[in-house]
Amino acid sequence: MTKREFDIYKIIKNEPLISQNEIAARLGITRSAVSSYLVAMIKKGIIKGRGYIINSDQYPLLVGPGHIDIVSLCSGMSSRPGLYNSKKTTISYGGAIKNIAHYLARLEINPRAIFTASADFFGSQFLKDCSLNGIDADDSLIMNDISMPIYNEIATESGEIIASANMEDNLAHRLTPDFLKTKESVFRGATQIVVHDTLSYESIEYISSAFNDSTLIYFSIYYNDTVQHMDLLSRFHTIIMSYSTALQLTGGPKEAANAAPNDNEIRHVCTKLQNLGIKNAIILCSLNQTCWMDESNIIIQTTSSESTADRQGYRFYRDASVASIIFSMQRGYTPEESMNHLAASKLIAASSSNFIDTNYCQSLVENMSARLTSTFTNLK
């Protein structure tokens, strides 16, 4: 949805019987321009023909594994060898795709998701939590032959990992092309399709070829998974990744990504990504630095804020970042508006003591955004 389409959407949502002339007068544009926008919105499925009935079935679709997160924040070692003093332990129903869906629901966007989940107690609780939080997970793959993956983490109070353990198989490979083909209608109805980087090569190849007329978003978490799909990335509308992954995909060493990159380093990486056929990328360089790359722009945003966040790592703010990007796409935001929303979302998420900030919402993002000081540099 473009910015102007969203303006029209808001008007007809509140006044479905309003005339095109009235919409034109309110927005300061011609009636013929309003008519053109309405035709485009009907084609996109945003409204349903004459009468301008809002299509309430619009949704982003997220595809990937789910799991249980058990995180203990510790103050240090106890007097007993090998035992840490736990200050706080949380159990949450997560995984990156679940977290993104949760954040979208907090932004009052109704997401649908295709997860892998087990039929055991934890799996049923995972799906119950989805329902309670406004996530439609009815098309998920439910398995009887395996337990729900559990991620265990012991960390310092600032989020630095002391030890962690994960089930070796996160079950993403169970989302095979044959299973996904049974969900074709769900894919066809989505405004955006977000895929997790642990899906198999065959599944990502299927999604990116069968639904290449959709807005496809590839969400990269780890370089080692993303590099397996290297020759498929050009099929996606947008790639979301860390600077470390972007650097490694373009031939640079991981170690060079430890410090915040300068403008020349970012420009060099973006040029190489474009040479690989990647059209649009959003690179999360650090908590306070983001790069927006499209055919016309390489924009660097650097922010500062009165807010402080101890948890600086990519994993603490990546999921809220993806939700923010989807939200901005649906609202037709400009790159700068999108990056402001994204910067605020990153800070809110990184200030949380868990993988999800349950207070996250649009009004909180707007409040945080107003407190940011941003510098934009276009490198093109």
Side-chain angles (χ1 to χ4, degrees):
M1 208 184 308
T2 67
K3 181 71 164 61
R4 183 62 79 192
E5 287 171 350
F6 184 61
D7 291 339
I8 295 172
Y9 172 90
K10 288 188 293 184
I11 291 171
I12 62 178
K13 184 176 182 181
N14 294 321
E15 302 174 63
L17 299 179
I18 192 170
S19 71
Q20 292 187 15
N21 285 328
E22 289 174 300
I23 296 172
R26 197 170 297 183
L27 296 178
I29 59 178
T30 64
R31 190 207 61 78
S32 61
V34 172
S35 179
S36 296
Y37 284 120
L38 290 170
V39 168
M41 292 168 74
I42 291 169
K43 288 181 178 178
K44 291 179 181 180
I46 298 167
I47 56 178
K48 298 178 180 178
R50 294 181 180 180
Y52 314 138
I53 299 170
I54 295 293
N55 186 355
S56 59
D57 297 331
Q58 294 274 293
Y59 55 86
L61 175 66
L62 303 100
V63 186
H67 59 71
I68 311 301
D69 292 320
I70 302 177
V71 178
S72 293
L73 300 180
C74 301
S75 59
M77 296 289 292
S78 73
S79 58
R80 295 166 58 187
L83 186 66
Y84 289 88
N85 290 317
S86 177
K87 301 285 285 186
K88 180 181 181 182
T89 297
T90 58
I91 300 175
S92 57
Y93 303 97
I97 291 294
K98 164 66 162 57
N99 295 344
I100 296 166
H102 193 135
Y103 277 125
L104 283 169
R106 297 289 303 172
L107 291 171
E108 299 185 8
I109 290 178
N110 301 317
R112 294 181 71 166
I114 299 176
F115 295 115
T116 48
S118 63
D120 62 11
F121 171 79
F122 280 120
S124 63
Q125 291 298 110
F126 175 91
L127 294 172
K128 180 180 178 181
D129 188 76
C130 288
S131 179
L132 290 173
N133 286 288
I135 303 164
D136 183 344
D138 289 349
D139 294 289
S140 297
L141 175 61
I142 313 301
M143 297 159 291
N144 295 301
D145 62 334
I146 199 163
S147 299
M148 194 73 183
I150 297 177
Y151 173 72
N152 293 279
E153 180 179 295
I154 299 173
T156 65
E157 291 179 273
S158 63
E160 182 180 351
I161 295 177
I162 299 169
S164 62
N166 198 13
M167 185 173 171
E168 185 175 0
D169 183 358
N170 73 0
L171 308 184
H173 70 282
R174 300 283 189 105
L175 294 172
T176 64
D178 285 343
F179 172 78
L180 296 174
K181 286 174 184 176
T182 67
K183 308 298 177 182
E184 181 178 352
S185 62
V186 181
F187 280 95
R188 294 288 178 203
T191 53
Q192 295 93 13
I193 299 169
V194 182
V195 301
H196 190 276
D197 65 354
T198 57
L199 265 62
S200 71
Y201 182 94
E202 293 75 18
S203 293
I204 289 184
E205 182 178 42
Y206 165 69
I207 293 170
S208 60
S209 60
F211 309 106
N212 59 8
D213 56 345
S214 301
T215 301
L216 299 175
I217 300 171
Y218 182 97
F219 175 35
S220 167
I221 297 180
Y222 296 113
Y223 166 75
N224 288 343
D225 293 315
T226 301
V227 73
Q228 305 299 319
H229 309 132
M230 190 79 162
D231 63 323
L232 300 176
L233 297 181
S234 62
R235 299 183 179 187
F236 286 82
H237 178 278
T238 301
I239 313 294
I240 303 171
M241 61 185 137
S242 67
Y243 179 71
S244 175
T245 293
L247 184 65
Q248 291 177 86
L249 286 176
T250 55
K254 178 182 179 181
E255 295 74 20
N258 291 334
N262 61 42
D263 289 356
N264 287 333
E265 289 169 332
I266 294 174
R267 183 193 289 112
H268 180 70
V269 166
C270 287
T271 300
K272 285 196 167 186
L273 289 174
Q274 290 172 332
N275 290 339
L276 293 171
I278 294 174
K279 298 176 284 293
N280 305 301
I282 297 172
I283 304 171
L284 307 176
C285 302
S286 69
L287 181 60
N288 296 302
Q289 186 183 49
T290 300
C291 173
W292 176 291
M293 183 196 86
D294 58 33
E295 293 179 349
S296 305
N297 303 288
I298 299 175
I299 302 173
I300 308 299
Q301 182 194 37
T302 305
T303 60
S304 60
S305 168
E306 298 173 3
S307 174
T308 58
D310 294 329
R311 293 149 67 87
Q312 302 280 323
Y314 176 64
R315 69 197 186 102
F316 296 119
Y317 55 75
R318 68 188 185 206
D319 305 338
S321 298
V322 178
S324 171
I325 291 162
I326 294 168
F327 176 88
S328 296
M329 283 182 171
Q330 293 213 352
R331 295 298 182 266
Y333 283 2
T334 65
E336 289 78 9
E337 290 171 331
S338 299
M339 294 173 82
N340 278 333
H341 194 281
L342 172 55
S345 295
K346 288 164 71 176
L347 281 168
I348 294 166
S351 299
S352 174
S353 61
N354 204 355
F355 288 114
I356 281 285
D357 188 305
T358 54
N359 295 315
Y360 181 84
C361 61
Q362 178 60 7
S363 61
L364 187 61
V365 173
E366 289 173 354
N367 181 270
M368 177 66 77
S369 184
R371 294 157 55 195
L372 291 176
T373 302
S374 294
T375 302
F376 294 95
T377 306
N378 198 328
L379 304 181
K380 272 200 171 182

